[in-house]
Structures are given as structure tokens and as C-alpha cells.
Amino acid sequence: TALELMVDATHGGWFNSREGIAALGSLEWTLARVAHVGAVNCLFTDVVRTNSSLMGLNYSAYRTALRTGRLPLTKDDVERAFTALSKSTQAPMRERVDDEYRWTRVTVFIRDADYNRIDNVLQAAERETSDQGLGHKIVPFGDGWISYLTVRLLVQGQVSSIALALLTDLILITILLRSLRIAVIAILPVAFSLLLVFAMLAIAGTPLGIANSMFAGIALGIGLDFAIHLATAYRQKLRQGMPAGEALRRTLELTGPAVCVSAASITAGFSVLMLSEIAPNVQLGVMICLCLLTCAVTTLLLIPSLLRLWKVVR
């Protein structure tokens, strides 16, 4: 994956000077040392490669000599390289630097790029430009930046949407059932199930994508019903004058099989997604099925204990 960085010197005439090229070289060396970076291409690379050819030197040896300070990068070296590059048709100068020599483009190739690896490169670039103290700005763009930004927006969207959905469900159930305790009890199983699935994603190293991120909304809409049915049935038994223990036993006898059948049938329906040849669809199917089954089991095990512990009344 190619991550493109546009370096803004904030003033013209910088990236055709010896100091500007040297600062760009320092950035290139820093980025090349970041884990999983395969190569870095920029104007400094072109200058070094051109000069090594014109001087008849080995490219790697010349780079090493510049890096260690055995050979200086002089103003004449930069001017000679720019003269040759300006006449080159294979690597046009306009692809690396603008006409005012204020903006220059740095391309970083990242092996098996993911959010963390791209983030490491961005942080390294920001640290290097900050350490140089020249006031340069880094503006990322390109395919790598789009994928990075997509993941970040997905995560932010998931956090805000799940929090808002849980809060909204809590308010609605409290209003409809006129009990904050029952609303909290009903929310806990599905919240636990979502947390468990996200934890498994983190452990397995599975990235959150556009397709599999939809599981949370689906699981919230379906899994919450299990707890509402059980809690409502329990309150009805209490209103009929049954003792708490007997009401809970009759509630489980009445709603337990229904919850199991409902969870099994819905899970079987969504399991069709696991037959897809598209990996995100398979992940979505697995996550929905796992979340619904976990929610059903948690509902039958957790809610009865909470109903007795919190002494829910009619």
C-alpha cells in the first residue's frame, strides 16, 4: 500500500536548496526505518540516484556515505541533479515538487498495511518534522490515507452509535416498562455480547471493516428482545400474585424455550452469510451469529439472577 505524504515547507524556494533536500533526506531516512516500510521515494531519492550515476558511484554506497557524513551534500550536487532531473522524461519533476519548490511529495510503501502500520508511519513523519523545527506541515493523501481514515471513522462511528443506541434503548424501555431497574437488566446481556465480540476481534487481529461493522446494530435490534420478553413475563407473574421464586421458575419455563428457538432460528438464517465467497460477508455472518447466541445464553443465565438480586417488583 502506498501512503502519500505532501510536505509543505510553508514558503517557496525551499526544496531546491541544499538545506531543503538535506531535511527531506532526514525525513526519508526516518521513514525507511519504520517497521514494515518497504521503500520510500521522494525528491531526495531522485537527487541521490542522479548524482550517484553522474559521479559513477554505487547508489547504496553513496547513500551510506551521505548518511554517515563521509560525503557532504553540496549545493553543486543539488543543482547538478536538478538540471539532469528537469530534462528527464522518466521521472518528471512536477510529480515530486511544485513550481515554487514549496510542496514536495513523499511516497511510502508499506507491506501488508493496516491501521496501526500506517499510523506508525504518520507518527514518525510528524515527529521528524517537529524535531527539525522548520515548521513544515505533513499532509497525507492517497489510497493508504483513505483506508486509514476509513478505519478511524468506522471506529469512531461504532463507539458513538453503540453508545447512543444503548442510551436510547435504556430510555425507551424505562418509559414503556416504567422501571429503570428492568431497563438496565434488559440492556446488560446485549451490551455484554457486543463487548465479547469486539474483544474476540481484537484478540484475533481482525480489522473492523465497512461490512462487518454492521453487526452491532443488527445484534442490538434483535438481541434486546430476548431480555425484554423474559423481564416482562416475570413482572406479569408477579402481578398475578406469585412469589418471586415461583414467578421466576414459571417465567423460565414459559419464555426460556421460546428464546432458545428464536435465537437458533435467527442464527440459522444469518449463518447463510458464512457461505459467501466474500470475506467481509463471512465475518459479518460469524459475528452476528456469535453475538446473538451469546446474548440468548447471557439472557437466560444473567437476567434471572439480577431479577432476584435487585428484587424487581411489579
Side-chain angles (χ1 to χ4, degrees), residues 164-217:
L164 179 61
L166 290 174
L167 178 61
T168 304
D169 288 339
L170 181 65
I171 294 174
L172 289 176
I173 298 173
T174 301
I175 294 174
L176 293 175
L177 300 182
R178 299 177 182 178
S179 173
L180 178 60
R181 288 186 178 183
I182 291 184
V184 173
I185 291 173
I187 288 291
L188 286 178
V190 69
F192 172 78
S193 302
L194 292 175
L195 183 62
L196 178 64
V197 174
F198 278 122
M200 295 184 66
L201 282 177
I203 294 173
T206 302
L208 191 66
I210 296 176
N212 60 19
S213 65
M214 295 187 295
F215 93 95

Side-chain angles (χ1 to χ4, degrees), residues 96 138 252 283 308:
R96 297 291 191 195
I138 300 291
L252 289 175
Q283 294 173 5
R308 297 193 66 176

Side-chain angles (χ1 to χ4, degrees), residues 260-304:
C260 292
V261 172
S262 178
S265 60
I266 296 174
T267 300
F270 279 107
S271 66
V272 176
L273 290 172
M274 290 186 281
L275 302 177
S276 174
E277 296 182 0
I278 303 175
N281 289 344
V282 176
Q283 294 173 5
L284 178 62
V286 171
M287 292 162 66
I288 291 176
C289 293
L290 178 62
C291 194
L292 291 180
L293 290 175
T294 304
C295 187
V297 173
T298 306
T299 297
L300 296 177
L301 294 179
L302 180 63
I303 287 186

Side-chain angles (χ1 to χ4, degrees), residues 45-179:
T45 311
D46 295 337
V47 169
V48 173
R49 183 176 292 110
T50 302
N51 275 329
S52 64
S53 298
L54 294 175
M55 299 166 65
L57 300 175
N58 177 271
Y59 171 69
S60 298
Y62 183 52
R63 276 182 58 90
T64 303
L66 290 175
R67 183 72 183 100
T68 57
R70 294 199 307 268
L71 279 179
L73 182 66
T74 65
K75 181 179 179 181
D76 291 338
D77 293 336
V78 174
E79 292 178 352
R80 181 171 57 248
F82 269 62
T83 301
L85 289 170
S86 63
K87 301 180 182 299
S88 173
T89 58
Q90 295 183 349
M93 287 282 289
R94 63 178 178 274
E95 294 183 2
R96 297 291 191 195
V97 66
D98 70 321
D99 293 337
E100 297 179 357
Y101 298 98
R102 169 182 170 175
W103 298 80
T104 188
R105 176 181 181 178
V106 179
T107 305
V108 185
F109 295 96
I110 307 172
R111 293 188 295 268
D112 300 323
D114 57 20
Y115 181 89
N116 290 329
R117 294 177 182 180
I118 295 176
D119 188 60
N120 290 337
V121 173
L122 292 173
Q123 290 186 15
E126 292 291 346
R127 284 195 303 267
E128 175 61 25
T129 53
S130 177
D131 292 343
Q132 290 180 1
L134 299 173
H136 293 177
K137 298 178 181 179
I138 300 291
V139 182
F141 68 101
D143 293 341
W145 170 246
I146 291 174
S147 63
Y148 172 87
L149 192 60
T150 299
V151 172
R152 190 170 70 183
L153 292 175
L154 277 174
V155 172
Q156 293 174 349
Q158 284 288 290
V159 172
S160 59
S161 63
I162 291 175
L164 179 61
L166 290 174
L167 178 61
T168 304
D169 288 339
L170 181 65
I171 294 174
L172 289 176
I173 298 173
T174 301
I175 294 174
L176 293 175
L177 300 182
R178 299 177 182 178
S179 173

